[in-house]
Amino acid sequence: MEPLSFQEYICSLDPATLPRILRICSGVYFQGSVYEISGNECCLSTGDLLKVMAVVLQKVVCEDTETGQTTELPPTFKGECGCPAPARTPWVPSSPGRPSRPPWAQPHCPTGLFQPAPAWGPYQTLQGHFPEGGRQQGLTLHQALGRWDRRLQPLLCPAVGPHALLLRPVYEVHAAMHLRRDVVKIPSTLEVDVEDVTEEAQHIHFARPLLLSEVLGMEDVLPAQAEILEGPAGPAVFKSAWVLRLQRGQQLRLHGRSRTWRVLASAPGSGRHFLLSSAYQGRFRLRPRQFTGVQELAAGLQPGQRLRVVVTQDCEGRGDDVPPLGVGDRLEPRGLQGNGPSTRLLCHRHGEEEEEGRELLLPLDLGGGFVEETCDSKKYGLAELLERQALPCEVRVVAPDPGLERDALGALPALRLEARLNQPFLVGSFCQEPQEGFEIPPRWLDFSLLLSEGPVRPPAPCTRRSRVEELTEAFYYQLLAQLPGSAAPPPPRPPKPAQAGTGPGGRRPSAPGPPPVSARPAPPLPPLPASPRLSTPRQHRRRGPPRDAGTESNSAEHDYETVDDNIQKTIRKMQAIFPF
């Protein structure tokens, strides 16, 4: 078919024939012009294909053929003019000359519907024939639009105006485009030309990009091969090298959903944070727990397990009820007693002998320091450790994972296990390295990709996977804050950079004022007299000027002799006081 304007094609389209495939020919949006549709940026280029899925009437613009004024009608327009209904007068059906129905029982204004206008100018009458009785009853708005034959045709509707009207419907076209995730909603008034290529384009597949989080719920399509269309957006999650390779154009193999769970961990004092897989094969040993205050000590009690601690910080007592605690005292918390502000922790303080001791009731707001007294030297796997010990707890890796080339946890002196996470992961690998696997959390690290068409060869199994991932500091605190019942501390605030003209901490230096009394400088001392230059004995014997000097020279000679004598006297006094 020959190209038509988008408006003409949509107005003449039979909805029963959908879907239809259109090719963009030309128009205002030519050669890749970008425009905005329903808040989304879209691009139409000559030759692009549209798959029309649905057409929805938005409004009808009625143009008065004489005045040129326009009126917009909603799709729900019923054609009622709003004239008052006839009054309900007494009516006798058997009276001669009366109609078979009362006036108030009939439509009070049939002129609210559309009627064909007489031949006017270049316009012709409405194409087709009205339905039986339609010329007398009129057409609804949708019936009038259903007889569109690509030409504007005048109609009459007293509910809209007294003159002939030209109806211009505006539709919203729902279409699919290649590599577009969502259905595009295009107004039919878009100034482009299109042609229908449905018959010759039956084999064309409109590829729809997916998010990795969507693939997570499509296990029936896995394993599959995919191409990354847009890499992950937002702040970084992992510090691993494979995350940096998730870029546009990268080919991936998606093997399936991971069945492992994770444990959030951190290294105290180092600022490093990790995510451990349940497949981690390293061995752990429990470290003694440390408690700051009696309240933390009470929170460390677990049903069915004994807890013994040693006092590591002196604590002052509170009268006769609470005796002081000293470094080295051995306590065994037993449980809480009382309610409200009077709640106390019952502890047994052991004496030098096992049978000796004393029961103490410690208030929860009492400070101090305590360390757990334990003799457990057993090595645990990760799953066995979580069955025995509640989280959080501190451990040390005593045997690194033999399946990892470099286990970053083995070099850490301590590791704090925070919480167990059941976040879903997908097992993936790069097509160039199918055996080097990694596990991606789609809800944390999402990106768009395109699944390949057709069957995919069974991928090679991943023999090595990442079992330990180091987290960025920002994501660690974000994740810690999302844990149920967690009061995550805020991340450390970086130092504020000093601006030009500011001192340390961003404060501007104040104007110089009078110094304090203690800082005022002392008055300057009088200048010291110039120290005489010591002369050698040979220089002392050279007295007087040459023989040809005049009177002025004789006076100078006398001055030199006087100074020289004074110097010699000073030297002799110093020798007498300080013998050399």
Side-chain angles (χ1 to χ4, degrees):
M1 59 174 293
E2 62 180 8
L4 298 174
S5 69
F6 195 48
Q7 172 74 6
E8 291 179 341
Y9 179 85
I10 296 300
C11 289
S12 61
L13 179 63
D14 184 4
T17 62
L18 294 178
R20 308 294 295 180
I21 300 178
L22 308 180
R23 178 188 289 122
I24 304 296
C25 296
S26 61
V28 175
Y29 305 97
F30 182 71
Q31 291 297 336
S33 298
V34 177
Y35 63 95
E36 188 174 339
I37 292 179
S38 301
N40 297 322
E41 202 174 69
C42 187
C43 178
L44 286 183
S45 301
T46 301
D48 283 354
L49 298 180
L50 295 176
K51 188 174 185 180
V52 179
M53 313 294 294
V55 175
V56 180
L57 180 63
Q58 295 294 302
K59 61 183 178 181
V60 178
V61 179
C62 300
E63 179 184 355
D64 193 310
T65 58
E66 294 190 11
T67 64
Q69 294 182 351
T70 59
T71 303
E72 293 186 359
L73 302 181
T76 57
F77 179 75
K78 300 297 184 181
E80 296 177 357
C81 67
C83 298
R88 296 199 175 208
T89 56
W91 174 74
V92 181
S94 60
S95 301
R98 287 186 175 269
S100 59
R101 301 177 63 186
W104 44 264
Q106 299 183 15
H108 61 275
C109 188
T111 58
L113 300 178
F114 291 89
Q115 298 285 346
W120 176 83
Y123 299 99
Q124 306 295 328
T125 58
L126 196 67
Q127 297 294 321
H129 301 287
F130 282 88
E132 183 177 356
R135 188 170 299 272
Q136 290 76 22
Q137 298 179 0
L139 295 175
T140 64
L141 178 63
H142 289 272
Q143 288 176 338
L145 296 177
R147 283 158 175 79
W148 180 277
D149 71 337
R150 304 179 187 174
R151 289 185 299 175
L152 295 176
Q153 302 179 9
L155 295 174
L156 292 175
C157 182
V160 180
H163 306 131
L165 304 172
L166 299 179
L167 304 186
R168 291 187 174 91
V170 178
Y171 295 93
E172 184 181 72
V173 181
H174 298 184
M177 296 182 65
H178 186 61
L179 297 182
R180 293 278 300 187
R181 292 190 61 251
D182 302 323
V183 174
V184 180
K185 298 179 180 180
I186 309 175
S188 60
T189 54
L190 192 67
E191 297 181 9
V192 294
D193 293 341
V194 297
E195 60 177 339
D196 194 313
V197 293
T198 305
E199 301 302 329
E200 57 189 274
Q202 291 290 339
H203 64 284
I204 296 179
H205 173 68
F206 286 80
R208 176 179 175 267
L210 298 172
L211 291 176
L212 191 65
S213 55
E214 294 177 313
V215 180
L216 186 64
M218 303 167 56
E219 296 189 54
D220 54 330
V221 303
L222 300 178
Q225 184 170 329
E227 178 184 350
I228 298 179
L229 298 180
E230 293 293 338
V237 175
F238 297 152
K239 294 184 177 181
S240 303
W242 61 267
V243 179
L244 301 178
R245 299 175 60 183
L246 299 177
Q247 302 294 334
R248 181 185 183 95
Q250 182 68 260
Q251 299 289 329
L252 292 180
R253 286 184 180 271
L254 301 178
H255 300 264
R257 187 165 180 165
S258 175
R259 306 300 176 184
T260 57
W261 40 268
R262 300 297 192 281
V263 173
L264 181 65
S266 60
S270 67
R272 303 178 66 184
H273 314 283
F274 303 91
L275 201 63
L276 280 65
S277 169
S278 59
Y280 181 75
Q281 298 299 318
R283 309 292 289 179
F284 302 90
R285 181 174 291 166
L286 283 170
R287 284 174 52 89
R289 289 177 290 173
Q290 297 183 3
F291 307 95
T292 303
V294 176
Q295 187 170 3
E296 289 189 11
L297 191 61
L301 288 174
Q302 298 177 10
Q305 295 185 10
R306 297 180 61 182
L307 176 62
R308 291 189 175 185
V309 297
V310 178
V311 179
T312 58
Q313 181 181 351
D314 292 336
C315 184
E316 297 182 359
R318 297 183 181 178
D320 297 336
D321 297 335
V322 182
L325 300 177
V327 175
D329 288 351
R330 298 171 62 242
L331 302 178
E332 182 178 352
R334 300 288 176 84
L336 295 176
Q337 291 189 0
N339 296 316
S342 61
T343 304
R344 298 290 189 270
L345 177 64
L346 176 63
C347 295
H348 178 78
R349 180 163 65 179
H350 295 274
E352 296 181 359
E353 300 295 336
E354 188 66 26
E355 61 275 2
E356 297 180 358
R358 179 184 175 185
E359 300 293 332
L360 304 177
L361 287 175
L362 304 179
L364 297 182
D365 60 346
L366 189 66
F370 311 91
V371 64
E372 184 179 11
E373 184 180 5
T374 179
C375 58
D376 187 4
S377 60
K378 182 180 178 181
K379 300 178 182 179
Y380 296 93
L382 186 58
E384 183 184 8
L385 178 65
L386 265 62
E387 291 178 359
R388 180 191 182 278
Q389 184 70 36
L391 298 181
C393 67
E394 285 196 8
V395 297
R396 183 169 66 91
V397 177
V398 294
D401 191 336
L404 300 178
E405 295 182 0
R406 180 182 175 275
D407 190 351
L409 305 182
L412 299 176
L415 192 67
R416 179 178 173 86
L417 304 183
E418 305 278 358
R420 172 173 169 167
L421 306 177
N422 292 320
Q423 188 72 211
F425 281 68
L426 278 177
V427 181
S429 63
F430 298 110
C431 292
Q432 303 90 338
E433 304 166 355
Q435 296 180 352
E436 296 288 339
F438 46 84
E439 299 188 0
I440 313 175
R443 297 178 183 174
W444 299 341
L445 200 65
D446 208 358
F447 52 88
S448 61
L449 46 80
L450 182 64
L451 296 181
S452 60
E453 302 178 13
V456 179
R457 293 182 304 172
C462 294
T463 57
R464 288 181 290 186
R465 299 184 189 177
S466 55
R467 300 171 184 170
V468 178
E469 296 289 354
E470 186 168 359
L471 306 177
T472 61
E473 186 176 19
F475 180 73
Y476 165 76
Y477 284 104
Q478 177 184 351
L479 187 61
L480 197 63
Q482 296 176 359
L483 296 179
S486 172
R493 179 176 297 178
K496 185 177 182 180
Q499 300 177 356
T502 59
R507 295 175 297 179
R508 294 188 177 273
S510 58
V517 176
S518 59
R520 291 181 181 175
L525 296 176
L528 296 176
S531 58
R533 294 181 299 173
L534 296 179
S535 304
T536 60
R538 181 173 299 178
Q539 290 175 334
H540 292 302
R541 287 194 296 267
R542 293 181 60 185
R543 297 180 182 179
R547 293 180 180 178
D548 56 353
T551 305
E552 185 176 353
S553 300
N554 292 335
S555 176
E557 178 183 13
H558 175 71
D559 294 338
Y560 279 116
E561 289 178 356
T562 304
V563 173
D564 196 10
D565 291 341
N566 292 334
I567 293 175
Q568 292 297 332
K569 291 179 183 179
T570 304
I571 293 176
R572 285 194 294 269
K573 289 181 180 180
M574 294 177 63
Q575 289 177 349
I577 299 174
F578 304 103
F580 296 108

